[in-house]
Amino acid sequence: MLIRRPADLAPSEITPQEIYHQRRNFIRHAGSLALLGSATLTSGSALAAALNGIAPNKIPIEDKPTPRKDVISYNNYYEFGVEKEDPAHYAGTLKTRPWTVVVEGLCNKPRSFSIEELLKLAPLEERLYRMRCVEGWSMVIPWEGFPLSALLRAVQPQGSAKYVAFSTLADSKMMPGIKYPILQWPYTEGLRMDEAMHPLAILAVGLYGEELLPQNGAPIRLVVPWKYGFKSAKSIVRIRLQEAMPATAWAVANPKEYGFYSNVNPEVDHPRWSQATERRIGEFSKRKTLMFNGYADQVASLYTGMDLKKNF
Amino acid sequence: MRAWLKTPSRTAISLFKIALFLLCLIPLTSMAWRFYTDSLGANPIEAITHGTGDWALRLLLASLTITPLRQVAGLPWLMRLRRMLGLYAFFYALLHFTTYLWLDQFFDWAGIAHDILKRPFITVGFAAFVLLVPLAATSFNAAIRALGGRKWQALHRSVYAIGILSVVHYWWLVKRDITQPAIYAFVLIVLLGARAWQREKERRRQLRATPLRRVIPINLQVK
Ligand code: HEM
């Protein structure tokens, strides 16, 4: 239980990164399912076992991880309310077991996966990623997950599949925000096939070495670190391979302000605010926003020849 | 109504004023305390921007409530509290603007100018603030005397425009959920509506009271 105690995280004593690596080692050495809380024991054990043999981060970054307390208390998850604190207050009602994700559309082996199956689909990896919100703030988050490509390969996409559409849970009983027509529910997101197959795009199931919390999109969410945060859909229940570009929630809500691609781009302003700088949560000064959120070396080639001002 | 509330003594009014003064300081003290104890959440600067903006708008609307409330409730002395509410609205707007200039933009004047010119929500917020300055600057007795009541009143009518600009500022800055700005818009419409209604009532009363005086001279002329 040591790992769950916030006392371990006193930010004044040691830097979060050091703690994080301590915790990492703890998981590696102990590898105990007891770490993951008894409420989700069965699936927890699968996750804990997987976390035990975790592969190291593919692309190490220098940035310091954002303190866990901020990552789990400052969230945009409109199904639970529009204020940043709302998800942490209200998402406790989200039942994440049983959970299935249907993968369908233009593929040879459409099927549904239980969360237990998904946890065993591929070795879990730790990924320390920058997360840049379209509102101008950012975090650095240690995720645990596996490449989205592993899931897509499992259903054998057909050549005609050009896009991947993601739908997330919309259950008015568990999600108070669904009552209000703020966005189109269920929340939908999408990626182009080559973006979805990119090794940086992952499905995350853990955060800071623990099972994902509801406010962060439990039990399984997308993380696409070179795009604005809203592209990384939470609590996914359906993935569809299709030929047409999916209508994504924010682009439907306000097509002038949000596009399909929504790549982090300091040169393309949001009409109402600048995207040139960002406030890293926990920092006083602002920092310059990096092209593709600092992942240009890895992903810029996906967009060669495209006018990124038009395809925002 | 109790007599002391209807026509409070000088001392009672002074006490009301002191109480209101302290009351209006609570949001600032609370924000300062939470800043100091690191309990403003993950993004304290955003919390301060929002807190100061919210209170600037609330106090502005509170100052606009005085006139209709005084008429409806029959409490003319409420007028004596209006200046403090208006000045506090300006005070919070000033904190709000300073937060933006300093903690948000770090005095990047080019970026600030770009925002004011190109981002409509900043344009209207800035316009509201600029219009507030002369009102705050003339909110003391000597200024009223120097300007003369009529001129002073004409100048201070711009508070209606400031109210509208401030609500539009809020409306245009929210990403999606317009509930909050819609509530403020509703309150503002009620407050401005009350004035329009009052003026219309006054006009009709005058019309009814003065038909002869108006008609007779014309008739005489015709004769
Ligand atoms: C001097 C020019 C002004 C500037 C540059 C300015 C700037 C801003 C900014 C940057 C925000 C936050 C936007 C966001 O979070 O996306 C904001 C919010 C706000 N501002 Fe202003 N503002 C100005 C004047 C005013 C005035 C005069 C008022 C009211 C009297 C006002 C009331 C508000 C309110 C109510 C909010 C929203 C707070 C919330 O979301 O809870 N602002 N303003």
Side-chain angles (χ1 to χ4, degrees):
Chain A
M1 282 300 125
L2 180 67
I3 198 160
R4 292 177 71 87
R5 282 218 317 267
D8 289 353
L9 274 168
S12 52
E13 287 172 23
I14 2 179
T15 69
Q17 183 153 31
E18 279 161 347
I19 301 166
Y20 180 60
H21 287 298
Q22 279 174 12
R23 306 165 110 230
R24 256 295 40 86
N25 289 334
F26 186 75
I27 293 179
R28 279 209 191 97
H29 297 311
S32 158
L33 64 104
L35 302 177
L36 285 151
S38 51
T40 55
L41 201 60
T42 43
S43 51
S45 65
L47 180 53
L51 286 175
N52 189 24
I54 205 152
N57 204 2
K58 279 263 163 64
I59 299 161
I61 59 172
E62 300 297 304
D63 309 36
K64 238 170 54 176
T66 304
R68 181 176 177 274
K69 72 166 169 39
D70 293 335
V71 181
I72 65 172
S73 66
Y74 188 79
N75 309 100
N76 275 325
Y77 196 166
Y78 281 14
E79 284 85 338
F80 294 104
V82 296
E83 301 295 332
K84 295 284 185 301
E85 318 80 56
D86 286 345
H89 285 152
Y90 303 116
T93 50
L94 183 70
K95 259 185 65 193
T96 56
R97 298 292 188 282
W99 193 277
T100 51
V101 178
V102 176
V103 188
E104 60 183 12
L106 302 173
C107 56
N108 293 331
K109 294 190 166 167
R111 56 169 284 212
S112 68
F113 294 82
S114 71
I115 186 69
E116 289 78 11
E117 287 171 310
L118 288 169
L119 291 173
K120 282 183 287 193
L121 191 78
L124 291 189
E125 298 169 28
E126 163 201 311
R127 299 281 181 103
L128 185 61
Y129 276 165
R130 295 178 205 96
M131 208 280 297
R132 169 64 156 80
C133 177
V134 72
E135 296 164 347
W137 52 270
S138 65
M139 295 184 178
V140 177
I141 306 178
W143 302 104
E144 282 80 35
F146 58 89
L148 171 61
S149 60
L151 176 62
L152 296 179
R153 286 211 180 91
V155 298
Q156 298 179 2
Q158 292 166 358
S160 51
K162 296 280 183 295
Y163 293 93
V164 187
F166 303 85
S167 301
T168 75
L169 187 73
D171 182 322
S172 56
K173 281 201 214 78
M174 295 189 247
M175 299 173 141
I178 297 284
K179 285 199 292 283
Y180 309 100
I182 293 165
L183 291 170
Q184 176 184 286
W185 314 118
Y187 188 85
T188 50
E189 255 312 332
L191 295 171
R192 217 169 54 191
M193 197 64 190
D194 56 344
E195 297 177 322
M197 296 302 286
H198 193 281
L200 283 186
I202 61 164
L203 287 169
V205 293
L207 174 93
Y208 259 114
E210 286 170 21
E211 213 176 325
L212 215 50
L213 290 174
Q215 61 265 40
N216 297 107
I220 186 161
R221 66 168 294 169
L222 187 61
V223 181
V224 195
W226 71 93
K227 291 174 179 284
Y228 292 118
F230 66 86
K231 292 294 290 182
S232 295
K234 300 184 174 85
S235 311
I236 291 170
V237 293
R238 185 176 299 271
I239 297 175
R240 195 179 165 80
L241 297 148
Q242 56 189 62
E243 194 163 356
M245 183 186 273
T248 57
W250 280 98
V252 168
N254 197 339
K256 282 202 218 87
E257 298 189 4
Y258 307 94
F260 173 79
Y261 287 97
S262 294
N263 292 316
V264 175
N265 188 340
E267 281 144 38
V268 178
D269 275 1
H270 183 278
R272 285 182 291 157
W273 54 81
S274 162
Q275 296 296 29
T277 59
E278 66 199 50
R279 169 160 284 117
R280 181 68 53 83
I281 296 301
E283 291 181 357
F284 180 70
S285 308
K286 285 189 156 182
R287 43 167 83 216
K288 286 206 154 50
T289 291
L290 304 173
M291 189 63 202
F292 295 115
N293 205 19
Y295 299 99
D297 287 349
Q298 289 80 30
V299 302
S301 59
L302 293 172
Y303 309 102
T304 33
M306 275 176 72
D307 181 348
L308 296 176
K309 284 207 160 70
K310 273 199 201 107
N311 297 287
F312 56 94
Chain B
M1 206 179 295
R2 291 195 185 90
W4 65 266
L5 191 56
K6 195 94 190 162
T7 46
S9 65
R10 272 171 159 272
T11 347
I13 291 180
S14 298
L15 286 176
F16 273 128
K17 278 187 163 175
I18 293 169
L20 186 65
F21 181 85
L22 295 175
L23 208 61
C24 291
L25 273 179
I26 289 176
L28 177 65
T29 339
S30 149
M31 268 185 279
W33 174 252
R34 282 183 295 152
F35 185 80
Y36 181 70
T37 56
D38 194 17
S39 50
L40 277 173
N43 196 345
I45 294 166
E46 180 191 65
I48 292 171
T49 307
H50 288 183
T52 49
D54 282 340
W55 283 102
L57 183 53
R58 285 171 195 160
L59 290 162
L60 186 73
L61 294 181
S63 74
L64 284 172
T65 309
I66 293 290
T67 297
L69 187 65
R70 171 180 71 111
Q71 289 162 346
V72 170
L75 300 172
W77 64 271
L78 281 179
M79 206 59 173
R80 316 254 322 251
L81 303 179
R82 191 173 68 175
R83 180 185 297 173
M84 186 157 5
L85 289 171
L87 282 172
Y88 258 117
F90 174 72
F91 174 63
Y92 278 97
L94 185 64
L95 291 175
H96 182 66
F97 189 40
T98 311
T99 311
Y100 166 82
L101 292 180
W102 179 25
L103 302 177
D104 198 43
Q105 298 290 320
F106 293 95
F107 305 109
D108 165 14
W109 298 109
I112 292 162
H114 180 87
D115 267 5
I116 292 174
L117 295 173
K118 290 287 153 75
R119 304 195 195 286
F121 94 88
I122 303 268
T123 313
V124 294
F126 185 71
F129 180 76
V130 167
L131 289 172
L132 269 172
V133 174
L135 305 201
T138 54
S139 286
F140 54 98
N141 294 339
I144 302 175
R145 255 179 272 119
L147 276 171
R150 256 170 188 281
K151 262 200 190 150
W152 185 88
Q153 229 174 11
L155 174 66
H156 280 245
R157 284 226 175 88
S158 68
V159 72
Y160 307 138
I162 295 169
I164 294 168
L165 289 167
S166 303
V167 169
V168 171
H169 170 63
Y170 199 174
W171 198 288
W172 282 351
L173 73 86
V174 298
K175 251 167 82 195
R176 193 66 198 150
D177 178 24
I178 48 128
T179 314
Q180 288 289 325
I183 293 169
Y184 288 107
F186 175 76
V187 172
L188 183 68
I189 289 167
V190 169
L191 293 175
L192 297 187
R195 287 172 168 78
W197 183 68
Q198 186 70 24
R199 203 169 300 167
E200 180 62 20
K201 226 172 62 174
E202 186 66 15
R203 198 179 63 88
R204 293 217 176 144
R205 197 183 58 78
Q206 276 186 8
L207 272 183
R208 250 183 283 117
T210 56
L212 288 180
R213 253 177 283 151
R214 274 225 187 149
V215 174
I216 287 168
I218 298 168
N219 284 349
L220 286 175
Q221 257 181 354
V222 170
K223 257 183 207 171

